[in-house]
Amino acid sequence: MKNQSVKNNIDWISVFIYIALVILGWLNIYSSSLLSTDGTYQKQLIFIGCTIPLIFVVLFVDGKFYEKYASIIFGVSLLSLAGLFLFGKTIAGQRCWYAIGSFTLQPSEFAKAATSLALAKYLSDTQINLKETNRQLQALAIVFLPVMLILPQPDPGSALIYSVFILVLFREGLPSWYVWTGFITILLFVLTLVLEPYAVILIALGVLIIIHFKGRAVDRNIILSAILLAVMSGFVLSVDYVFDNVFKQHHRDRFNILLGKTVDMKGIGYNTNQSEIAIGSGGWIGKGFLEGTQTKGGFVPEQHTDYIFTTVGEEWGFAGSLVVILLFVGLFLRVIYLAERQKTKFSRVYGYCVAGILFTHFFVNIAMVIGIFPTIGVPLPFFSYGGSGLWGFTILLFIFLKMDANKVNEW
């Protein structure tokens, strides 16, 4: 088939949604930082301007480059994360940035694209079968290597995003028990924080009894059920120790506030409380652009970064928030649609990684802002202030759009 230009083949629907989100993001950053003296919205405008040549570079590079050099890109990414322990700059207790004068760069934002490429490269090998234990471990190692470098920074928010790769692996054949194990672990952990440990163990015993008598004959293995109960009981009994001795105090405080065990509207719960007030005050149609009292008064800390959605809720109301949410959902669905029509496994897997990363950021950030998830510092893609985040998400998306534009040459 005759080669056609990227201009003709690129998915313009995704591009237009991207542009809309970036513009809307800047408008909200402008509103939330208008009274600040540090030039926040001007800096973000510069960051946005830098994305234009960045996009051209990503689209100019041959699509096969990303597959051919995926392992090298991943290796460089790991080195950049490891280098933070020696050369990184500490800001607000986190050693997550390289500083060049007043300019800072956060490598973990770019590591997501690098990890996606590495995972897609590994899974596209025709010899890979995720039913085999050694292949599962190798795939999981690709995911957890950057996590092990990000967690000690400490940056639990960025590390959390990598959990979405488990769903990508599941889509490509990873046994479902991995997903169920993760879900049950989280459920048991939260239940133990709310209830007494022995009450949780009794609930687990009841569920296993129901499964034993209601399940298929092949599932009625009393020895396996006993082993599962013992493992779950051991985990449940260890939760309090981990929570009290491994978690840091501010992490414990955030969980306690989220679960209603502590009320601290002036301390650790201040951000979330002010965020809920701001969003709730917006009503159906909002107070109007630049008219948000909570926003203008600076009552919501870090409003231009992790809490940027509070500006949307206060000034644009439910209607404006719905428009923003629909734009994000439209982008996720579009990327998934494009991923499914790819002609190579590498492109398809990478597309699912892109959709998963963007969705996880979106979901966790919105859940955090409205108070149903602990505050852990996860930015809203294309909205939150920051050059590293904007460039990282832009590279992540446009590498995939380049792959999709090239599919006409892969017959």
Coordinates of all heavy atoms in Angstrom, one line a residue, residues 53-141:
P53 N 6.7 21.6 19.4 CA 7.9 21.0 18.7 C 8.1 19.5 19.2 O 8.5 18.7 18.5 CB 9.1 21.8 19.1 CG 8.6 22.6 20.3 CD 7.2 22.8 20.1
L54 N 7.7 19.3 20.5 CA 7.8 17.9 21.0 C 6.9 17.0 20.3 O 7.3 15.8 19.9 CB 7.4 17.9 22.5 CG 7.5 16.6 23.3 CD1 9.0 16.2 23.3 CD2 6.9 16.8 24.7
I55 N 5.7 17.4 19.9 CA 4.8 16.6 19.2 C 5.3 16.3 17.8 O 5.3 15.2 17.3 CB 3.4 17.2 19.1 CG1 2.7 17.2 20.4 CG2 2.5 16.5 18.0 CD1 1.4 18.0 20.5
F56 N 5.9 17.3 17.2 CA 6.4 17.2 15.8 C 7.6 16.2 15.8 O 7.7 15.4 14.9 CB 6.9 18.5 15.3 CG 5.8 19.3 14.6 CD1 5.3 20.5 15.3 CD2 5.2 18.9 13.4 CE1 4.3 21.2 14.7 CE2 4.2 19.7 12.8 CZ 3.7 20.8 13.5
V57 N 8.4 16.2 16.9 CA 9.5 15.3 17.0 C 9.0 13.8 17.1 O 9.5 12.9 16.4 CB 10.4 15.6 18.2 CG1 11.4 14.5 18.4 CG2 11.2 16.9 17.9
V58 N 8.0 13.6 18.0 CA 7.4 12.3 18.2 C 6.8 11.8 16.9 O 7.0 10.6 16.6 CB 6.4 12.4 19.3 CG1 5.6 11.0 19.4 CG2 7.0 12.7 20.7
L59 N 6.1 12.6 16.2 CA 5.5 12.2 14.9 C 6.5 12.1 13.8 O 6.2 11.3 12.8 CB 4.4 13.2 14.5 CG 3.2 13.3 15.5 CD1 2.2 14.3 15.0 CD2 2.5 12.0 15.7
F60 N 7.6 12.8 13.8 CA 8.6 12.7 12.8 C 9.4 11.4 12.8 O 9.7 10.8 11.8 CB 9.5 13.9 12.9 CG 10.7 13.9 11.9 CD1 10.4 14.3 10.6 CD2 11.9 13.4 12.2 CE1 11.5 14.2 9.6 CE2 13.0 13.4 11.3 CZ 12.7 13.8 10.0
V61 N 9.6 10.9 14.0 CA 10.4 9.7 14.2 C 9.6 8.5 13.6 O 8.4 8.4 13.8 CB 10.7 9.4 15.7 CG1 11.3 8.1 15.9 CG2 11.6 10.5 16.2
D62 N 10.3 7.6 12.9 CA 9.6 6.5 12.3 C 9.0 5.6 13.4 O 9.6 5.4 14.5 CB 10.6 5.6 11.5 CG 9.9 4.5 10.8 OD1 9.3 4.7 9.8 OD2 10.0 3.3 11.4
G63 N 7.7 5.1 13.2 CA 7.0 4.4 14.2 C 7.8 3.1 14.7 O 7.7 2.7 15.8
K64 N 8.5 2.5 13.8 CA 9.3 1.3 14.1 C 10.4 1.6 15.1 O 10.9 0.7 15.8 CB 9.9 0.7 12.8 CG 8.8 0.1 11.9 CD 8.2 -1.1 12.6 CE 7.2 -1.8 11.6 NZ 6.5 -2.9 12.3
F65 N 10.8 2.9 15.2 CA 11.9 3.2 16.1 C 11.5 2.9 17.5 O 12.3 2.4 18.3 CB 12.2 4.7 16.0 CG 13.1 5.3 17.0 CD1 14.5 5.3 16.9 CD2 12.6 5.8 18.2 CE1 15.3 5.8 17.9 CE2 13.4 6.3 19.2 CZ 14.8 6.3 19.0
Y66 N 10.2 3.2 17.9 CA 9.8 3.0 19.3 C 9.8 1.5 19.6 O 10.0 1.1 20.8 CB 8.4 3.6 19.5 CG 8.4 5.0 19.2 CD1 7.7 5.5 18.1 CD2 9.0 5.9 20.0 CE1 7.7 6.9 17.8 CE2 9.0 7.3 19.7 CZ 8.3 7.8 18.6 OH 8.4 9.1 18.3
E67 N 9.5 0.6 18.7 CA 9.5 -0.8 18.9 C 11.0 -1.3 19.0 O 11.3 -2.1 19.9 CB 8.7 -1.6 17.9 CG 8.7 -3.1 18.1 CD 7.8 -3.8 17.1 OE1 7.2 -3.1 16.2 OE2 7.7 -5.0 17.2
K68 N 11.8 -0.9 18.0 CA 13.1 -1.4 17.9 C 14.0 -1.0 19.1 O 14.8 -1.8 19.6 CB 13.8 -0.8 16.6 CG 15.2 -1.3 16.4 CD 15.8 -0.8 15.1 CE 17.2 -1.3 14.8 NZ 17.7 -0.7 13.5
Y69 N 13.8 0.2 19.6 CA 14.6 0.7 20.7 C 13.9 0.8 22.1 O 14.3 1.5 23.0 CB 15.2 2.1 20.4 CG 16.1 2.0 19.2 CD1 15.7 2.4 17.9 CD2 17.4 1.5 19.3 CE1 16.6 2.4 16.8 CE2 18.3 1.5 18.3 CZ 17.9 1.9 17.0 OH 18.7 1.8 15.9
A70 N 12.8 0.0 22.2 CA 12.0 0.1 23.4 C 12.8 -0.3 24.6 O 12.7 0.3 25.7 CB 10.8 -0.8 23.3
S71 N 13.6 -1.3 24.5 CA 14.4 -1.8 25.7 C 15.4 -0.8 26.1 O 15.7 -0.5 27.3 CB 15.1 -3.1 25.3 OG 14.1 -4.1 25.0
I72 N 16.0 -0.1 25.1 CA 17.0 0.9 25.4 C 16.4 2.1 26.1 O 16.9 2.7 27.1 CB 17.8 1.4 24.1 CG1 18.6 0.2 23.6 CG2 18.7 2.6 24.4 CD1 19.3 0.5 22.3
I73 N 15.2 2.5 25.6 CA 14.5 3.6 26.2 C 14.1 3.3 27.6 O 14.2 4.2 28.5 CB 13.2 3.9 25.3 CG1 13.6 4.4 23.9 CG2 12.3 5.0 26.1 CD1 12.4 4.6 23.0
F74 N 13.7 2.1 27.8 CA 13.3 1.6 29.2 C 14.6 1.7 30.1 O 14.5 2.1 31.3 CB 12.8 0.2 29.1 CG 12.3 -0.3 30.5 CD1 11.3 0.4 31.2 CD2 12.8 -1.5 31.0 CE1 10.9 -0.1 32.4 CE2 12.4 -2.0 32.2 CZ 11.4 -1.3 32.9
G75 N 15.7 1.2 29.6 CA 16.9 1.2 30.4 C 17.4 2.6 30.8 O 17.8 2.9 31.9
V76 N 17.3 3.5 29.8 CA 17.6 4.9 30.1 C 16.7 5.5 31.1 O 17.1 6.3 32.0 CB 17.6 5.8 28.8 CG1 17.7 7.3 29.1 CG2 18.7 5.3 27.8
S77 N 15.4 5.2 31.0 CA 14.4 5.6 32.0 C 14.7 5.1 33.4 O 14.7 5.9 34.4 CB 13.0 5.2 31.6 OG 12.1 5.5 32.6
L78 N 15.1 3.9 33.6 CA 15.5 3.3 34.9 C 16.7 4.0 35.4 O 16.8 4.3 36.6 CB 15.7 1.8 34.8 CG 14.5 0.9 34.4 CD1 15.0 -0.5 34.3 CD2 13.5 1.1 35.5
L79 N 17.7 4.3 34.6 CA 18.9 5.0 35.0 C 18.5 6.5 35.5 O 19.1 6.9 36.5 CB 19.9 5.1 33.9 CG 20.6 3.8 33.5 CD1 21.5 4.0 32.3 CD2 21.5 3.3 34.7
S80 N 17.6 7.1 34.8 CA 17.2 8.4 35.2 C 16.5 8.4 36.6 O 16.6 9.3 37.4 CB 16.3 9.1 34.1 OG 15.0 8.4 34.1
L81 N 15.7 7.4 36.8 CA 15.1 7.2 38.1 C 16.1 6.9 39.2 O 16.0 7.5 40.3 CB 14.0 6.1 38.1 CG 12.8 6.4 37.3 CD1 11.9 5.1 37.2 CD2 12.0 7.5 37.8
A82 N 17.1 6.0 38.9 CA 18.1 5.7 39.9 C 19.0 6.9 40.2 O 19.4 7.1 41.3 CB 18.9 4.5 39.4
G83 N 19.2 7.7 39.2 CA 20.1 8.9 39.4 C 19.6 9.9 40.4 O 20.3 10.7 40.9
L84 N 18.3 9.9 40.6 CA 17.7 10.8 41.5 C 18.3 10.7 42.9 O 18.4 11.7 43.7 CB 16.2 10.6 41.6 CG 15.4 11.1 40.4 CD1 13.9 10.6 40.4 CD2 15.4 12.6 40.2
F85 N 18.6 9.4 43.3 CA 19.2 9.2 44.7 C 20.5 9.9 44.9 O 20.9 10.2 46.0 CB 19.3 7.7 44.9 CG 17.9 7.0 44.9 CD1 17.6 6.2 43.8 CD2 17.0 7.2 45.9 CE1 16.4 5.6 43.8 CE2 15.8 6.5 45.9 CZ 15.5 5.7 44.8
L86 N 21.2 10.2 43.8 CA 22.5 10.9 43.9 C 22.4 12.4 43.5 O 23.0 13.2 44.1 CB 23.5 10.2 42.9 CG 23.9 8.8 43.3 CD1 24.8 8.2 42.2 CD2 24.6 8.7 44.7
F87 N 21.6 12.7 42.5 CA 21.6 14.0 41.9 C 20.3 14.7 42.0 O 20.1 15.8 41.5 CB 22.1 14.0 40.4 CG 23.3 13.2 40.2 CD1 23.3 12.0 39.6 CD2 24.6 13.7 40.6 CE1 24.5 11.3 39.4 CE2 25.7 13.0 40.4 CZ 25.7 11.8 39.8
G88 N 19.3 14.1 42.6 CA 17.9 14.6 42.6 C 17.8 15.8 43.6 O 18.6 15.9 44.6
K89 N 16.8 16.6 43.3 CA 16.5 17.7 44.2 C 15.3 17.4 45.1 O 14.3 16.8 44.6 CB 16.2 19.0 43.4 CG 15.8 20.2 44.2 CD 15.5 21.4 43.4 CE 15.2 22.7 44.2 NZ 15.0 23.9 43.4
T90 N 15.4 17.6 46.4 CA 14.3 17.3 47.3 C 13.3 18.5 47.4 O 13.8 19.6 47.7 CB 14.8 17.0 48.7 OG1 15.6 15.8 48.5 CG2 13.6 16.6 49.6
I91 N 12.1 18.3 47.1 CA 11.0 19.3 47.2 C 9.9 18.7 48.0 O 9.3 17.7 47.7 CB 10.5 19.8 45.8 CG1 11.7 20.3 45.0 CG2 9.4 20.8 46.0 CD1 11.3 20.7 43.6
A92 N 9.5 19.4 49.1 CA 8.4 19.0 49.9 C 8.6 17.5 50.4 O 7.7 16.7 50.5 CB 7.1 19.1 49.2
G93 N 9.9 17.2 50.7 CA 10.2 15.9 51.3 C 10.3 14.8 50.3 O 10.5 13.6 50.6
Q94 N 10.2 15.1 49.0 CA 10.3 14.1 47.9 C 11.5 14.4 47.0 O 11.7 15.5 46.5 CB 9.0 14.1 47.1 CG 7.8 13.6 47.8 CD 6.5 13.6 46.9 OE1 6.2 14.5 46.2 NE2 5.9 12.4 46.9
R95 N 12.3 13.3 46.8 CA 13.4 13.5 45.9 C 13.1 13.0 44.5 O 13.5 11.9 44.1 CB 14.6 12.7 46.5 CG 16.0 13.1 46.0 CD 17.1 12.4 46.7 NE 18.4 12.8 46.3 CZ 19.1 13.8 46.9 NH1 18.5 14.5 47.9 NH2 20.3 14.1 46.5
C96 N 12.3 13.8 43.8 CA 11.7 13.3 42.5 C 12.1 14.1 41.3 O 11.7 13.8 40.2 CB 10.1 13.4 42.6 SG 9.4 12.5 43.9
W97 N 13.0 15.1 41.5 CA 13.2 16.1 40.4 C 14.7 16.2 40.2 O 15.5 16.2 41.1 CB 12.6 17.4 40.7 CG 11.1 17.5 40.8 CD1 10.3 17.7 39.7 CD2 10.3 17.2 41.9 NE1 9.0 17.6 40.1 CE2 9.0 17.3 41.5 CE3 10.6 16.9 43.2 CZ2 7.9 17.2 42.3 CZ3 9.5 16.7 44.1 CH2 8.2 16.8 43.6
Y98 N 15.1 16.5 38.9 CA 16.4 17.0 38.6 C 16.2 18.5 38.4 O 15.2 19.0 37.8 CB 16.9 16.4 37.3 CG 17.3 15.0 37.4 CD1 16.6 14.0 36.8 CD2 18.5 14.6 38.0 CE1 16.9 12.6 36.8 CE2 18.9 13.3 38.1 CZ 18.1 12.3 37.5 OH 18.5 11.0 37.6
A99 N 17.1 19.3 39.0 CA 17.1 20.7 38.9 C 18.2 21.3 38.0 O 19.4 20.9 38.2 CB 17.1 21.3 40.3
I100 N 17.8 22.1 37.1 CA 18.8 22.8 36.2 C 18.5 24.3 36.4 O 17.6 24.8 35.7 CB 18.7 22.4 34.8 CG1 18.9 20.9 34.6 CG2 19.8 23.1 33.9 CD1 18.6 20.4 33.2
G101 N 19.1 25.0 37.3 CA 18.8 26.3 37.7 C 17.4 26.3 38.3 O 17.1 25.6 39.3
S102 N 16.5 27.1 37.8 CA 15.1 27.2 38.3 C 14.2 26.2 37.7 O 13.0 26.0 38.1 CB 14.5 28.6 38.1 OG 14.5 28.9 36.8
F103 N 14.7 25.5 36.7 CA 13.9 24.5 35.9 C 14.1 23.1 36.5 O 15.2 22.7 36.9 CB 14.4 24.4 34.4 CG 13.7 23.4 33.6 CD1 12.4 23.6 33.2 CD2 14.4 22.2 33.3 CE1 11.8 22.6 32.4 CE2 13.8 21.3 32.5 CZ 12.4 21.4 32.1
T104 N 13.0 22.4 36.7 CA 13.0 21.1 37.3 C 12.3 20.1 36.3 O 11.4 20.4 35.6 CB 12.3 21.0 38.7 OG1 10.9 21.4 38.5 CG2 13.0 21.8 39.7
L105 N 12.8 18.8 36.4 CA 12.3 17.8 35.5 C 12.0 16.5 36.3 O 12.9 16.1 37.1 CB 13.2 17.5 34.4 CG 12.7 16.7 33.2 CD1 11.7 17.6 32.4 CD2 13.8 16.3 32.3
Q106 N 10.8 15.9 36.2 CA 10.5 14.8 37.0 C 10.5 13.5 36.1 O 9.6 13.3 35.3 CB 9.1 14.9 37.6 CG 8.7 13.9 38.6 CD 7.4 14.2 39.3 OE1 6.7 15.2 39.0 NE2 7.0 13.3 40.2
P107 N 11.5 12.7 36.2 CA 11.7 11.5 35.3 C 10.6 10.5 35.4 O 10.3 9.7 34.4 CB 13.0 11.0 35.6 CG 13.3 11.4 37.0 CD 12.7 12.8 37.1
S108 N 9.9 10.4 36.6 CA 8.8 9.4 36.7 C 7.7 9.7 35.7 O 6.9 8.7 35.4 CB 8.3 9.4 38.1 OG 7.7 10.6 38.5
E109 N 7.5 10.9 35.3 CA 6.4 11.2 34.4 C 6.7 10.6 33.0 O 5.8 10.3 32.2 CB 6.2 12.7 34.3 CG 5.7 13.4 35.6 CD 4.3 12.9 36.0 OE1 3.6 12.3 35.2 OE2 3.9 13.2 37.1
F110 N 8.0 10.5 32.6 CA 8.4 9.9 31.3 C 8.5 8.4 31.4 O 8.5 7.7 30.4 CB 9.6 10.6 30.9 CG 9.5 12.1 30.8 CD1 10.0 12.9 31.8 CD2 9.0 12.7 29.7 CE1 9.9 14.3 31.8 CE2 8.9 14.1 29.6 CZ 9.3 14.9 30.7
A111 N 8.8 7.9 32.6 CA 9.0 6.5 32.8 C 7.7 5.7 32.5 O 7.8 4.5 32.1 CB 9.4 6.2 34.2
K112 N 6.6 6.3 32.6 CA 5.3 5.6 32.2 C 5.3 5.2 30.8 O 4.9 4.1 30.4 CB 4.1 6.4 32.6 CG 4.0 6.7 34.1 CD 3.1 7.9 34.4 CE 3.3 8.3 35.8 NZ 2.5 9.6 36.1
A113 N 5.7 6.1 29.9 CA 5.7 5.8 28.5 C 6.8 4.8 28.2 O 6.6 3.8 27.4 CB 6.0 7.1 27.7
A114 N 8.0 4.9 28.8 CA 9.1 4.0 28.6 C 8.7 2.6 29.1 O 9.0 1.6 28.4 CB 10.3 4.4 29.4
T115 N 8.0 2.5 30.2 CA 7.6 1.1 30.7 C 6.5 0.5 29.8 O 6.5 -0.7 29.5 CB 7.0 1.3 32.1 OG1 7.9 1.9 33.0 CG2 6.6 -0.1 32.7
S116 N 5.6 1.4 29.2 CA 4.6 0.9 28.3 C 5.3 0.3 27.0 O 4.9 -0.7 26.5 CB 3.7 2.1 27.9 OG 3.0 2.6 29.0
L117 N 6.3 1.0 26.6 CA 7.0 0.5 25.4 C 7.7 -0.8 25.7 O 7.7 -1.7 24.9 CB 8.1 1.6 24.9 CG 7.5 2.8 24.3 CD1 8.6 3.9 24.1 CD2 6.8 2.5 22.9
A118 N 8.4 -0.9 26.8 CA 9.1 -2.1 27.2 C 8.1 -3.3 27.3 O 8.4 -4.4 26.9 CB 9.9 -1.9 28.5
L119 N 7.0 -3.0 28.0 CA 6.0 -4.1 28.2 C 5.4 -4.5 26.9 O 5.2 -5.8 26.6 CB 4.9 -3.6 29.1 CG 4.0 -4.7 29.7 CD1 4.8 -5.7 30.6 CD2 2.9 -4.1 30.5
A120 N 5.1 -3.6 26.0 CA 4.6 -3.9 24.7 C 5.6 -4.7 23.8 O 5.3 -5.7 23.1 CB 4.2 -2.6 23.9
K121 N 6.9 -4.3 24.0 CA 8.0 -5.0 23.3 C 8.1 -6.5 23.7 O 8.2 -7.4 22.9 CB 9.3 -4.3 23.5 CG 10.5 -5.0 22.9 CD 10.5 -5.0 21.4 CE 11.9 -5.5 20.9 NZ 11.9 -5.5 19.4
Y122 N 8.0 -6.7 25.0 CA 8.1 -8.0 25.6 C 7.0 -8.9 25.2 O 7.1 -10.0 24.8 CB 8.2 -7.9 27.1 CG 8.3 -9.3 27.8 CD1 9.5 -10.0 27.8 CD2 7.2 -9.8 28.4 CE1 9.6 -11.3 28.4 CE2 7.3 -11.1 29.0 CZ 8.5 -11.8 29.0 OH 8.6 -13.0 29.6
L123 N 5.8 -8.4 25.3 CA 4.6 -9.2 25.0 C 4.4 -9.4 23.5 O 3.6 -10.3 23.1 CB 3.3 -8.5 25.6 CG 3.3 -8.3 27.1 CD1 2.0 -7.6 27.5 CD2 3.3 -9.7 27.8
S124 N 5.0 -8.6 22.7 CA 4.8 -8.8 21.2 C 5.7 -9.9 20.7 O 5.5 -10.3 19.5 CB 5.1 -7.5 20.5 OG 6.5 -7.1 20.7
D125 N 6.6 -10.4 21.5 CA 7.4 -11.6 21.1 C 6.5 -12.8 20.9 O 5.7 -13.1 21.8 CB 8.4 -11.9 22.2 CG 9.5 -12.9 21.8 OD1 9.1 -13.8 21.0 OD2 10.6 -12.8 22.2
T126 N 6.6 -13.4 19.8 CA 5.7 -14.6 19.5 C 5.9 -15.7 20.4 O 5.0 -16.6 20.5 CB 5.9 -15.0 18.0 OG1 7.3 -15.4 17.8 CG2 5.5 -14.0 17.1
Q127 N 7.0 -15.8 21.1 CA 7.3 -16.9 22.0 C 6.7 -16.7 23.4 O 6.8 -17.6 24.2 CB 8.8 -17.1 22.1 CG 9.5 -17.3 20.8 CD 9.0 -18.5 20.1 OE1 8.8 -19.6 20.7 NE2 8.8 -18.4 18.8
I128 N 6.2 -15.5 23.7 CA 5.7 -15.2 25.0 C 4.3 -15.8 25.2 O 3.4 -15.6 24.5 CB 5.6 -13.7 25.2 CG1 7.0 -13.1 25.1 CG2 5.0 -13.4 26.6 CD1 8.0 -13.7 26.1
N129 N 4.2 -16.6 26.3 CA 2.9 -17.1 26.7 C 2.7 -16.9 28.2 O 3.4 -17.4 29.0 CB 2.9 -18.7 26.4 CG 1.5 -19.3 26.8 OD1 0.6 -18.6 27.3 ND2 1.4 -20.6 26.7
L130 N 1.8 -16.0 28.5 CA 1.6 -15.6 29.9 C 0.9 -16.6 30.8 O 0.7 -16.4 32.0 CB 0.8 -14.3 30.0 CG 1.6 -13.0 29.5 CD1 0.7 -11.8 29.6 CD2 2.8 -12.8 30.4
K131 N 0.7 -17.8 30.2 CA 0.2 -18.9 31.1 C 1.4 -19.6 31.8 O 1.2 -20.3 32.7 CB -0.5 -20.0 30.2 CG -1.7 -19.4 29.5 CD -2.8 -18.9 30.4 CE -4.0 -18.4 29.7 NZ -5.0 -17.8 30.6
E132 N 2.6 -19.3 31.3 CA 3.8 -19.8 31.9 C 4.3 -18.9 33.0 O 4.4 -17.7 32.9 CB 4.9 -20.0 30.8 CG 4.5 -20.9 29.7 CD 5.6 -20.9 28.6 OE1 6.7 -20.3 28.8 OE2 5.4 -21.5 27.5
T133 N 4.7 -19.6 34.2 CA 5.0 -18.8 35.4 C 6.2 -17.9 35.1 O 6.3 -16.8 35.6 CB 5.3 -19.8 36.5 OG1 4.1 -20.6 36.8 CG2 5.6 -19.0 37.8
N134 N 7.3 -18.4 34.5 CA 8.5 -17.6 34.3 C 8.2 -16.4 33.4 O 8.8 -15.3 33.6 CB 9.6 -18.5 33.6 CG 9.2 -19.0 32.3 OD1 8.1 -19.4 32.0 ND2 10.2 -19.1 31.4
R135 N 7.3 -16.5 32.4 CA 6.9 -15.4 31.6 C 6.1 -14.4 32.4 O 6.3 -13.2 32.2 CB 6.1 -15.9 30.4 CG 6.8 -16.8 29.4 CD 8.0 -16.2 28.8 NE 8.6 -17.1 27.8 CZ 9.7 -16.8 27.2 NH1 10.4 -15.7 27.5 NH2 10.2 -17.6 26.2
Q136 N 5.3 -14.8 33.3 CA 4.5 -13.9 34.2 C 5.5 -13.1 35.0 O 5.3 -11.9 35.2 CB 3.6 -14.7 35.0 CG 2.5 -15.5 34.3 CD 1.8 -16.5 35.2 OE1 1.9 -16.5 36.4 NE2 1.0 -17.4 34.6
L137 N 6.5 -13.8 35.6 CA 7.4 -13.1 36.5 C 8.3 -12.1 35.7 O 8.6 -11.0 36.2 CB 8.3 -14.1 37.2 CG 7.6 -15.1 38.1 CD1 8.6 -16.1 38.7 CD2 7.0 -14.3 39.3
Q138 N 8.6 -12.4 34.5 CA 9.4 -11.5 33.7 C 8.6 -10.3 33.3 O 9.1 -9.2 33.4 CB 9.9 -12.2 32.4 CG 11.0 -13.3 32.6 CD 11.2 -14.2 31.4 OE1 10.7 -14.0 30.4 NE2 12.1 -15.2 31.6
A139 N 7.4 -10.5 33.0 CA 6.5 -9.3 32.6 C 6.3 -8.5 33.9 O 6.3 -7.2 33.8 CB 5.1 -9.9 32.1
L140 N 6.0 -9.1 35.0 CA 5.8 -8.3 36.2 C 7.1 -7.6 36.7 O 7.0 -6.5 37.2 CB 5.4 -9.3 37.4 CG 3.9 -9.9 37.2 CD1 3.7 -10.9 38.3 CD2 2.9 -8.8 37.3
A141 N 8.3 -8.2 36.3 CA 9.5 -7.5 36.7 C 9.6 -6.2 35.9 O 10.1 -5.2 36.5 CB 10.7 -8.4 36.3

